[in-house]
Each structure stands twice: as C-alpha cells, then as structure tokens.
Amino acid sequence: MRRRRIMMALAGAGVVAVAGTALFLSGEQAPQAARSAPSAPVPGDPLTGEEVTRATAIASATLRAHMTTGQVDLLYVERDDDKGAEDRRRADAYLYDYATDSLIVRTVDLGQGKVVKETATRGVQPPPSKAEEVRAAELLLADPVYGGGVRESYAKALGGGLLRSAADLGLRGLIFTPGQERGGEPCKTHRCLRLFVRLPGNTWLDTSRIAVDLSAKKIYTLEW
C-alpha cells in the first residue's frame, strides 16, 4: 500500500518510472516532444536534404555514363521559384557539359518524380562547385611545371611533410573569363577557374598567373 502511494506521488510530481529508473519530466516537455515531429515541407520552404538527394538522382538518371567519365558534372540543386508552379515542390538541377560547354538546367517535379523541363545554354558560367575546385587543384598538382612547386610550397609552410592530395589544401575558385591577359584564350568559351590555394599556417600560394581549364583539362600561364 505504501509503495502504491509513493508511485502515485511521483506521477503527480511529473516523474515517470521506466524499468526501475525515474525520468523527471516537466509538464511541458512531453507535449514539446510531440510537437517537434517534422512536418511535410510546403511549396515555399527550402529544399530538404532528402529532396536534394532525390532531385539529384532524377536529374542525372540519363547522364550517369557521361558523369562517370567526367564529361558532365552536377554543379548544384536549388528550389525552383517558377511563379506558375507555386503549389508544387520543384527543384532546378544545374549540370555542366564540358564536351559542348553548355549549362543544362533540369527542372524536377518532386511530386511526380520526373524531369518536367530542360534547357541548355552556352556562354553561361555559374559559380564553380566544390567538386570543380578540387578537380582544378588535382589538375594543378598533376601539371609537370606547377605540381612540384605546389608540393614544395606546402611542405615549407607545414614545416616538413608531404602533400597527400588536393583535399589537404584550402581551395577557393572563381570563374575566369579572359580580358587583357594572354595565354588563356580558350577560356572565352571553355569553363575555366582562377584557383586560390591556402597552405598550412594561413599562407597563400601565388596563383595569380594561372588559369585552370576544366573543359580541356589544361593549365594556362597568363601574361600581361
């Protein structure tokens, strides 16, 4: 009888006993946990991680062979803001075809699970993706002229040690379109990057005279 009164007192004080362990919960916590369950996104909400993954798979389904060989790359996925489709969850997948130097935009209807619109445009260069920055650094490291210098500068900044891969470098890429410079003329139509490389100790590699051509997989030395 005494045990029963103790259990009733604990329950009244906001304590729940589970498998011999007392869990102290305030009167607000249980309803709060119930309210924290994620709700389904509405058209105006940002894309969820699951939606980005699904849109990526749908948009690239017919291009996987080209993506495997590096001919096509997925740059990024964002929510489609078409005013005529405000009642739907749609995503725009931006892909770049390096063989034709074309930007492909595929609009995915997430409800229907299919591509509902596609455009291909030449002469449009969106900002580089992180994967492109890494690829540009890999081309730089593989270059017979510059690769050794990058590794030497890395080892010096680190105080000894080897550069294992491009992932060891701090990278920032910007689209390069030639102006008065000489040496990077193919970049007028190709997808090219100016690559900024951070070494250990927050020192920066001097890459001011270098342009990386992702379309032709070449390194250009720029001259003024």
Side-chain angles (χ1 to χ4, degrees):
M1 185 67 178
R2 182 184 177 188
R3 177 179 176 83
R4 181 180 178 185
R5 285 198 298 268
I6 292 173
M7 294 300 293
M8 291 177 64
L10 289 173
V15 180
V16 178
V18 179
T21 303
L23 304 179
F24 291 81
L25 300 175
S26 69
E28 292 296 324
Q29 284 178 309
Q32 180 73 24
R35 289 197 299 268
S36 65
S39 57
V42 298
D45 288 345
L47 294 175
T48 65
E50 187 275 335
E51 286 178 320
V52 171
T53 300
R54 190 149 53 92
T56 298
I58 295 169
S60 60
T62 60
L63 293 171
R64 286 172 186 165
H66 298 295
M67 294 175 74
T68 300
T69 59
Q71 177 181 326
V72 177
D73 189 23
L74 176 73
L75 302 183
Y76 52 88
V77 176
E78 65 180 14
R79 189 187 67 196
D80 177 63
D81 289 328
D82 185 356
K83 298 299 182 182
E86 291 181 340
D87 59 336
R88 302 173 187 172
R89 294 290 287 174
R90 305 204 322 183
D92 289 330
Y94 292 78
L95 304 106
Y96 197 85
D97 187 336
Y98 299 100
T100 62
D101 281 295
S102 301
L103 177 66
I104 302 169
V105 182
R106 289 185 166 182
T107 301
V108 176
D109 188 309
L110 294 165
Q112 299 181 49
K114 65 179 184 180
V115 175
V116 294
K117 181 181 177 182
E118 177 179 322
T119 60
T121 310
R122 299 193 67 184
V124 178
Q125 297 287 352
S129 66
K130 293 298 181 184
E132 287 183 311
E133 292 175 347
V134 172
R135 196 173 306 120
E138 290 172 345
L139 288 171
L140 186 61
L141 290 174
D143 185 80
V145 176
Y146 293 107
V150 175
R151 290 182 172 85
E152 183 179 343
S153 297
Y154 179 89
K156 183 178 180 180
L158 189 63
L162 298 176
L163 176 62
R164 295 168 297 179
S165 70
D168 291 336
L169 301 170
L171 302 173
R172 177 76 172 91
L174 296 176
I175 293 298
F176 171 68
T177 302
Q180 301 299 319
E181 306 92 343
R182 298 186 304 274
E185 288 77 8
C187 295
K188 292 178 180 179
T189 56
H190 290 183
R191 186 160 175 82
C192 298
L193 301 189
R194 294 293 299 275
L195 193 64
F196 300 88
V197 180
R198 188 177 71 248
L199 301 172
N202 285 326
T203 58
W204 291 84
L205 188 69
D206 183 7
T207 56
S208 59
R209 297 170 61 86
I210 297 173
V212 183
D213 188 335
L214 294 177
S215 300
K217 297 180 175 58
K218 292 182 178 180
I219 305 293
Y220 303 127
T221 300
L222 305 177
E223 298 178 1
W224 285 265

